[in-house]
Amino acid sequence: MKKHILYLGLLAFAASSHAQNGLENIIVEKYYVSDANDTAQNSTGGVLPIGSVTYRIYADMLPGFKFQAAFGIPGHELRIETTTLFFNNEDRGATSPTYSKTQASHNTVMLDSWLSVGAACTGNFGVLKSEDNSAGTVINTDGILANADTSIGIPLTIEDGMIAGTPEPVTAVGISTEMTIFDNQNDGTNGPVFSTFNGSWASLNGSIGPDTATNKVLIAQITTNGILSFELNIQIGTPSGGVQQFVARNAVGSEILLPALIYNSGTTQTGNIKKNVSSFELYPNPAKDKLVIKVNGKNEIKYTGYTIYDLVGRSVIHKDVLLNKEFSTEYIDISSLFSGQYFVVLFGDTQSTTKRFIKE
C-alpha cells in the first residue's frame, strides 16, 4: 500500500544539490508555566497539574520558503512524547487551534495541546512573545494565566504571542487516529506518545510566517508536567517551486539532516542546566583549521553548550560554555575533522539553534 504521505506529493523531491537549505532552525519557546491559581480555577478546562509547562514549537525558515508538512515515513519516525501526559483543554480544546481569541480568554483554553501550520487560534498567527509587536493581549476573564515565572520570559499578561491574520488550516494525512491524543480529553489516553511512520500534519497551500523576513511558522503547542521530547521530519517548499526534506536522523539521498529536529526538555550538558540563548555567529565558513562561535546572550549569566555533528548525526566535538551578559567567543580547533559539511548546535533551555558549516 502506498504511504499516506504520498497523497500530498511529499516525496516528490526536486531540489538541486546546490540549493540553499531553507529550514534554518527549530525553535522551542517556553510559553507558560502553570501555578496553583491556574489549577484551582480550572474546573471547566480540566485537571491542569501545577507546574505544567506550555511549549510552542516553530519552524524557522529563510524568506520565501513555505512550511508544507511534518511527516513520518518508514525509517523516519515522527514522534512527540512526554514522561507523563499531555494537557488538553476540555472546554474548547481540539487537535488544532480552532477556538476564537474571545474563547481563549476563558479558563485554560490558551494552554491546550495541538498541532498547527501557523495558527495560535482562529484568525490569529502564533508568534514568539519576544516578537509580538501587536497591541494588547488576551485578558483572561477567570483571572488566571498570570504567572510571571522568570523562566518563561515575557508573561502572558504582557504579550500573548498572537497576531491577527489568516493562517492556513491543518490537514491531517494518515494520522486521524493518532491525533486524538491531542483532543479535548484528559482521561488517560492523552499520552504519553504521539507517533507515526506513515502520516503527516500538513499545509496544503504552504505556510509562511506573519513576518515574511524572519519567516517563523508555529507548528505545535504542547502542555505537560513531564519531560517533553520530540523527533520531527519536515518538508518545506522552495521559492522556485521545489521541495526540501529535513530529517532528524539517518538522512539518505537528497534528505537533509538537521539535528535541531531532535529535542528533549530534560537534557543537560555535563551537569549544567541549559539556559536561554538568543543567537550566534559562525565564521569563517568554509573553515580550514579554526572555527569561531560568537554567542550573543541577554539578561543574566547563563550556561549553555555546543555540539558539532557530522552529516550522519554523530557528535564529533562537544563543549559546555559559560556566557557573560553580552557575548562569549569560542575558538574551536577543527583541524582533525575530515573535509565536508557539519552542523553546530548551540543548546539552550527554551531553544536550540543550529548552523551549518563546511570544513575545507
Side-chain angles (χ1 to χ4, degrees), residues 29-350:
E29 177 188 36
K30 198 171 185 179
Y31 184 69
Y32 188 72
V33 177
S34 66
D35 60 16
N37 187 45
D38 300 320
T39 296
Q41 299 297 321
N42 194 43
S43 59
T44 303
V47 177
L48 175 69
I50 297 173
S52 295
V53 179
T54 301
Y55 301 89
R56 282 186 169 186
I57 305 169
Y58 294 83
D60 184 6
M61 299 176 292
L62 291 173
F65 288 79
K66 293 184 177 182
F67 175 85
Q68 293 183 338
F71 66 90
I73 57 176
H76 295 304
E77 181 184 18
L78 173 62
R79 185 180 185 91
I80 302 174
E81 183 174 5
T82 177
T83 53
T84 55
L85 295 171
F86 302 112
F87 169 72
N88 297 318
N89 183 269
E90 296 175 2
D91 181 18
R92 297 288 181 174
T95 58
S96 60
T98 54
Y99 49 83
S100 69
K101 196 164 184 177
T102 298
Q103 292 164 341
S105 67
H106 299 287
N107 56 74
T108 52
V109 173
M110 286 178 64
L111 306 185
D112 186 40
S113 297
W114 34 253
L115 306 176
S116 180
V117 294
C121 70
T122 299
N124 282 266
F125 288 96
V127 298
L128 293 169
K129 289 181 293 181
S130 60
E131 297 182 2
D132 185 355
N133 55 9
S134 60
T137 185
V138 171
I139 305 300
N140 193 283
T141 58
D142 296 321
I144 60 174
L145 305 192
N147 189 8
D149 188 304
T150 57
S151 71
I152 66 172
I154 303 171
L156 296 187
T157 52
I158 297 176
E159 297 290 358
D160 57 20
M162 295 185 185
I163 292 181
T166 309
E168 294 291 329
V170 172
T171 297
V173 182
I175 57 170
S176 57
T177 300
E178 291 86 346
M179 280 182 69
T180 57
I181 200 169
F182 299 125
D183 214 342
N184 59 338
Q185 44 73 31
N186 289 285
D187 58 5
T189 63
N190 51 310
V193 178
F194 165 79
S195 171
T196 182
F197 286 93
N198 192 24
S200 66
W201 77 88
S203 172
L204 292 182
N205 295 316
S207 296
I208 59 175
D211 184 335
T212 57
T214 59
N215 203 16
K216 299 180 180 71
V217 173
L218 176 62
I219 60 173
Q221 176 174 291
I222 304 295
T223 297
T224 179
N225 66 330
I227 294 173
L228 172 68
S229 60
F230 61 70
E231 290 193 19
L232 305 177
N233 310 291
I234 287 179
Q235 177 166 300
I236 65 175
T238 71
S240 62
V243 297
Q244 294 178 345
Q245 289 181 322
F246 296 81
V247 296
R249 302 179 188 269
N250 305 319
V252 296
S254 56
E255 296 170 342
I256 302 167
L257 181 71
L258 185 63
L261 291 165
I262 300 175
Y263 176 84
N264 187 306
S265 67
T267 301
T268 59
Q269 299 294 328
T270 61
N272 292 328
I273 298 174
K274 298 184 296 182
K275 296 296 184 180
N276 191 30
V277 176
S278 58
S279 62
F280 74 97
E281 300 173 38
L282 190 65
Y283 58 88
N285 192 5
K288 186 175 182 181
D289 297 317
K290 297 291 183 181
L291 185 69
V292 181
I293 297 178
K294 183 177 180 180
V295 182
N296 301 307
K298 56 184 178 180
N299 296 327
E300 60 183 25
I301 294 177
K302 311 168 182 72
Y303 288 95
T304 188
Y306 65 82
T307 302
I308 296 179
Y309 295 92
D310 64 16
L311 277 178
V312 296
R314 293 174 298 201
S315 172
V316 294
I317 296 176
H318 170 78
K319 185 179 179 181
D320 291 317
V321 182
L322 173 63
L323 304 182
N324 62 30
K325 289 187 178 181
E326 300 301 327
F327 65 89
S328 177
T329 301
E330 291 291 314
Y331 299 89
I332 308 172
D333 182 0
I334 60 170
S335 59
S336 63
L337 299 182
F338 294 106
S339 298
Q341 296 187 59
Y342 294 85
F343 300 93
V344 176
V345 180
L346 188 67
F347 295 101
D349 183 26
T350 59

